[in-house]
Structures are given as C-alpha cells and as structure tokens.
Amino acid sequence: MSTVRVAITQHEPGWFDLQASVAKTIALIAEAAAGGADLIAFPECWIPGYPLWIWKYPVRPDLAARYHKAALSVSSPEFQSILAAAAASSITVVLGFAERAGSTLYMSQAIISATGTLLLSRRKVKPTHMERTIFGDAQGGDTTLTNCVETNGKAGRVAALNCWEHLQPLLKYHSIAQGPQVHVAAWPPITPVKEGELYSLSKEGCKALSQVYAMESQSFVLHTGSVITALGVAANQTEGAPMMSTPSGGSSCVFGPDGRPIEASSKALADDEEGMVYADLDLDAILVSKGFCDPVGHYSRPDLLRLVVDKGTKACVESFEGESK
C-alpha cells in the first residue's frame, strides 16, 4: 500500500499584506510538516487573499491598487522564502496566489517539491465574471495548460486547478490526461446557498464540482477554501454585500477517487473556523477506480471524440527576422 498524508488548509489570509501572508504561509508549511504531512494545499489567491470586494463594487481602483502592491511575483525574495520553507520542512506545497507579472495580475498556482524546487507555475485560464475586472487571462503555453507534475516524492503526480475551472469540460479532460493521483481544487471563500443565488456559486455547488472531478479523474481531490472573519469583511469593505460579507467561507475536505468523502484524521471544522484538515490517502485505491473507468484509456473512444490542444504561448509581441533577398 502506498500512503500519502495530506494537509488541507482552512485559514484566513493576510488581507492586502504580502509580508504577513508569506509569514503565515511559512508557518502553516511548518505546522503541516510537524503533523506528518507529505503535502500541503492552499486555496485560490491565498496570497494576499481572494479579492472579496469585486463582488460588491463594479470598480474600486483604490482597493485594486492596494491589492496589486500586495500580490506575489515568482521572481521575488518572498517567493524564494516559500521555496526555502518547503525544503526546510521536506514537504510538497501547492500554493494559490495572485501573481504580479509586470502590470498585470494572474490567478496562479505553484507546485513546489519537498526539496524546494518550483516544479510548475500556472495561471487560471479564464478568470470568472467579476474577477476579470482585476485579473488577466493566461496566455497559453506551460503557464496555462501544464497543471500536473511528478513530485518525485510520496505525493506522486500532483495537479491543480482553480475554482470554476472545474466547470470547464475541455480543461478538465486535458488535466485528467496528464494522470494526476492527487488533485488540488483551490477555491475562494464560499458560503451556503441562499435564495436567489446560483447554486453553482455556493458551498454546496462548489463541493459538488470537486467531488465530480474526483470521479471523473479517479484521483484524490483536496478541496481547499479560505476563511472570512470580521477582519476580512472590514479589510475588503464588503459589509452588506450579497456575497462574501459575513464570517464564513471555509469548506476544506477530501474526496476519494470514486467520489466518496474521505474521513479526516483531524477534527471537523466549522466554516468560520481556522484549522488544518489532515487525511491519509491510499494511492492504491486509484487502481480500483481506474479499473472501472479510465476516460483517457480503456474507457475512451479517440476514434470518435478527441481533444486538440494548442500548446503555444500567445505573446503580445512576437519578433522574427525576415528572409534575406
């Protein structure tokens, strides 16, 4: 039996504060390793917190500017300190962060090995609805479609997608084709469904998407979301908003490769409670599910249906030299 112990975070971010966010990230990495975890998973835009205000205000240039300053660059000393923390604790890290690249922000995820190597960094293909007021689209290439990697550790092949990317059938199929054993489904703070709201935006709907992905991919899915307290509501100025305006948001849990909820070895958490969800995963269980359904193997018909992918990066400026005459 091949067993991996995972830690799924359910914590409040360091709103608009890069240094506080990184410090908390490093502390949680050490805590997960001390708890025996081989892998730790963080939610969408964990650093510097998901921008809650976008669901209340059509435009808030002041908050957007503050958020931009607090975003994380992959080439920054702060990012290097997270790599060092992973190495110091010998733990694989799947990090969700708002990435600053030049003057544009992206909704990004990084997979970091237990030796502190950046294995991949990828960007959300298409920010959802109001997210497009502050985040850019991914530009293709390795920073977009490569979302699964061999970690060369106990965690095996690890993949990650953000939020409603779990509603994108073609993207999901491309991810499944990369053969993940453990998949991190990273979400923002999500709350129970209310009258008049989209069920697919609710805690129940989003957890259902993660659960279905586990069945579709025959992988263990680590569903992770962050917490909002009164501090987060005040920082984002979302008082009275229809979404993300009350203390709540946490929904972290694990689904097995047949979709069943995996019982955590840690205590159950309320949706407004910070804590770590630990679970021990028997990777051999994947083989049982794959024996019944492998949608990119024996349970596929590529002669009838197949996915065509453009792996090229779409740059704003491309240079070339003309032919000599």
Side-chain angles (χ1 to χ4, degrees), residues 123-134:
R123 296 166 177 170
K124 192 171 184 176
V125 171
K126 187 77 176 180
T128 302
H129 201 263
M130 296 303 293
E131 292 170 355
R132 295 198 284 273
T133 61
I134 60 171

Side-chain angles (χ1 to χ4, degrees), residues 28-305:
L28 291 174
I29 288 171
E31 178 185 333
D38 304 298
L39 179 149
I40 181 172
F42 289 93
E44 183 175 47
C45 293
W46 162 252
I47 297 176
Y50 183 85
L52 310 180
W53 83 87
I54 61 176
W55 297 97
K56 180 179 181 181
Y57 306 103
V59 180
R60 279 296 300 267
D62 55 334
L63 294 179
R66 286 182 59 202
Y67 193 79
H68 190 281
K69 291 178 180 179
L72 180 65
S73 169
V74 174
S75 61
S76 67
E78 290 83 3
F79 196 89
Q80 291 299 313
S81 69
I82 295 172
L83 298 182
S89 292
S90 298
I91 187 171
T92 299
V93 177
V94 183
L95 180 69
F97 62 107
E99 179 188 357
R100 185 175 69 250
S103 298
T104 297
L105 298 182
Y106 299 96
M107 307 179 82
S108 296
Q109 293 171 292
I111 300 179
I112 302 164
S113 76
T115 59
T117 300
L118 177 60
L119 299 176
L120 70 80
S121 179
R122 52 93 52 183
R123 296 166 177 170
K124 192 171 184 176
V125 171
K126 187 77 176 180
T128 302
H129 201 263
M130 296 303 293
E131 292 170 355
R132 295 198 284 273
T133 61
I134 60 171
F135 292 107
D137 294 349
Q139 294 175 304
D142 289 341
T143 60
T144 304
L145 293 176
T146 302
N147 68 304
C148 180
V149 68
E150 174 59 56
T151 61
N152 296 313
K154 291 189 69 176
R157 289 189 63 78
V158 176
L161 290 174
N162 268 324
C163 193
W164 261 18
E165 288 189 314
H166 296 88
L167 263 177
Q168 294 273 7
L170 300 183
L171 180 62
K172 289 196 296 178
Y173 193 77
H174 183 268
S175 177
I176 292 167
Q178 295 174 64
Q181 294 171 291
V182 177
H183 173 85
V184 175
W187 296 88
I190 47 180
T191 54
V193 66
K194 299 176 183 177
E195 185 66 29
E197 291 183 353
L198 287 177
Y199 185 85
S200 51
L201 281 172
S202 71
K203 175 180 178 180
E204 296 86 353
C206 295
K207 289 182 73 172
L209 290 172
S210 292
Q211 187 173 25
V212 168
Y213 185 83
M215 290 185 271
E216 290 176 324
S217 63
Q218 301 83 51
S219 67
F220 287 94
V221 171
L222 315 186
H223 173 102
T224 173
S226 50
V227 169
I228 310 170
T229 68
L231 180 65
V233 173
N236 287 271
Q237 301 177 36
T238 57
E239 299 90 342
M243 295 174 58
M244 302 182 182
S245 59
T246 57
S248 59
S251 60
S252 296
C253 62
V254 185
F255 296 106
D258 62 352
R260 76 182 62 207
I262 300 295
E263 184 175 353
S265 60
S266 51
K267 70 165 188 156
L269 299 172
D271 62 5
D272 61 350
E273 182 180 4
E274 289 193 292
M276 201 82 75
V277 176
Y278 291 97
D280 298 296
L281 313 181
D282 174 12
L283 297 185
D284 288 346
I286 295 171
L287 298 176
V288 176
S289 292
K290 287 288 188 186
F292 283 84
C293 176
D294 182 359
V296 293
H298 65 79
Y299 204 48
S300 65
R301 284 294 305 274
D303 55 322
L304 299 177
L305 297 167

